[in-house]
Amino acid sequence: MTSRMNKLYAYLDNNNMDAMLITSPKHVYYLTGFATDPHERFLGLLLAKGEEAVLLLPALDFEAAQAASSVKNIHAHSDTDDAIEILSKLMPRGIRNLGVEKEDLSVQRFEAISAAVEATTYVDIGSPLREMRAIKTADEVARMKRAALIVEDVLRLGVSKVKPGVTEIELVAELEYQMKKLGAQGPSFETMVLSGAKSALPHGTPDNRKVAEGELLLFDLGVYADGYASDITRTFAVGDISDEIKGIYGAVLDANLKAIEAIRPGVTFGSLDRAARESIESAGYGPYFNHRLGHGLGMDIHEYPSIHGRNEDLLLAGMVFTVEPGIYVPSVGGVRIEDDVLVTQDGVEVLTSFSKQLTVIG
Ligand code: MN
Ligand code: MN
């Protein structure tokens, strides 16, 4: 926690910034170890040049923060206080350039802050936080491995409940129940179970549609464990499926494997997307792979980097992201195979280990 904050203090020095105010609960957690959801109440971590870090939070969080936060200079505001006025008093004099999380601050809150403090220039601090978060520490990787292990156990249990006639939403309920039973905090996004032609909707919504023989069944799910997300997709056959669908499955699996094979430090994200896309194009399904290859994964289910064909940024050891090619043929069905991967010093470690061979269930 301290080393993360030290990097931000160095960023202040190197970027002619007097202070920064961290307001997103995830980043307060990332920097102090104290996790809370303040809802609409104000939460802020103030790092000012040459000053000790200050945490300002709702009074009802005070005791929990004292126990968990590495920042011990903690100030509380009650529901009848003006939190922004307290913030302005905590701010050292002479702050001109203030770093803020532009992605997190509402316009309303920004206006209140800028009316109350001396600062005249507001600089976005999204990029140092994003770049720091992109490289996972051993502790973060351990949490992500646990999130992956739990979700794979959940998926195994969910698959065992599949039989013709069960509805998509019943399977979602079973999966989300098992997530908490198996030790996750909860789903990392809305669990997706899509059957038949609905599997061709990459962002479809599960409903009372019944699972039927001769169709595909797509599961896309993830959990949060110790603050970190997993995200996996597997597509199954319920009973016998057509040769056309088997061909689609094979093409997606090849694309998934080709992209993973290409992962190592120093190659571009774009090259991974292109490896998968060329594989799907050569199978004749190019137009049916209509989204990027994947996304960064960590405290957020979608975070930096975005794995698409025009991202020429380089992979670095310690990055974790998804590889999730898909082919979606309207009214026929869709297949997606999604893994979570860690870039290692010399290649890749795949965090998800659930079988990718076409499997008949139900
Ligand atoms: Mn997913
Ligand atoms: Mn994903």
Side-chain angles (χ1 to χ4, degrees), residues 333-351:
V335 173
R336 180 166 61 253
I337 302 175
E338 176 178 29
D339 287 309
D340 302 341
V341 301
L342 165 70
V343 183
T344 61
Q345 293 297 335
D346 53 2
V348 60
E349 181 180 350
V350 185
L351 305 183

Side-chain angles (χ1 to χ4, degrees), residues 27-289:
H27 286 151
V28 169
Y29 171 57
Y30 184 71
L31 294 164
T32 70
F34 173 59
T36 187
D37 177 358
H39 300 284
E40 75 284 11
R41 296 179 173 103
F42 181 80
L43 171 72
L45 172 66
L46 180 66
L47 308 182
K49 231 180 225 178
E51 305 275 343
E52 190 190 346
V54 182
L55 187 57
L56 175 60
L57 42 65
L60 51 85
D61 274 331
F62 188 73
E63 213 177 314
Q66 276 186 315
S69 170
S70 62
V71 170
K72 294 303 178 193
N73 190 0
I74 304 173
H75 294 258
H77 61 85
S78 73
D79 288 339
T80 51
D81 286 335
D82 179 345
I84 303 303
E85 193 188 326
I86 296 175
L87 172 71
S88 71
K89 288 181 178 147
L90 289 171
M91 228 176 257
R93 295 305 107 207
I95 301 285
R96 291 286 175 268
N97 294 329
L98 179 63
V100 292
E101 289 186 83
K102 292 191 176 179
E103 200 178 352
D104 177 73
L105 269 190
S106 69
V107 175
Q108 190 179 50
R109 184 154 278 167
F110 171 72
E111 286 178 347
I113 291 171
S114 59
V117 305
E118 286 181 276
T120 50
T121 308
Y122 295 87
V123 190
D124 186 41
I125 50 167
S127 86
L129 284 162
R130 198 163 46 236
E131 279 162 28
M132 220 190 298
R133 277 177 56 179
I135 310 294
K136 269 66 180 179
T137 62
D139 171 65
E140 288 176 299
V141 169
R143 292 168 192 233
M144 298 191 76
K145 285 182 175 175
R146 183 159 174 262
L149 278 176
I150 293 174
V151 83
E152 293 191 320
D153 285 342
V154 168
L155 178 56
R156 238 166 252 123
L157 286 166
V159 164
S160 75
K161 302 284 181 191
V162 173
K163 55 180 189 293
V166 68
T167 68
E168 295 167 347
I169 206 78
E170 283 166 346
L171 291 169
V172 168
E174 179 65 25
L175 292 162
E176 294 196 347
Y177 171 72
Q178 292 297 345
M179 286 175 185
K180 292 197 177 180
K181 286 270 281 185
L182 296 182
Q185 293 165 282
S188 52
F189 59 94
E190 291 281 327
T191 302
M192 230 183 279
V193 176
L194 299 170
S195 62
K198 280 180 72 186
S199 60
L201 308 169
H203 274 173
T205 309
D207 61 19
N208 290 323
R209 191 182 188 284
K210 288 184 166 71
V211 170
E213 293 252 9
E215 291 185 348
L216 288 171
L217 186 60
L218 181 150
F219 290 80
D220 186 353
L221 63 159
V223 301
Y224 271 114
D226 302 321
Y228 286 77
S230 56
D231 184 6
I232 186 171
T233 307
R234 290 292 184 269
T235 310
F236 300 90
V238 181
D240 279 340
I241 52 167
S242 68
D243 288 345
E244 181 190 9
I245 295 179
K246 283 179 192 163
I248 291 171
Y249 192 97
V252 174
L253 180 55
D254 282 347
N256 169 286
L257 296 173
K258 288 220 167 74
I260 290 173
E261 246 172 54
I263 296 171
R264 61 182 177 278
V267 304
T268 67
F269 289 106
S271 71
L272 307 182
D273 183 284
R274 290 191 293 273
R277 210 163 291 281
E278 279 160 19
S279 169
I280 285 176
E281 276 163 8
S282 71
Y285 289 102
Y288 301 105
F289 177 18

Side-chain angles (χ1 to χ4, degrees), residues 231 295 302 322 324 338:
D231 184 6
H295 52 84
H302 285 185
T322 68
E324 49 180 306
E338 176 178 29

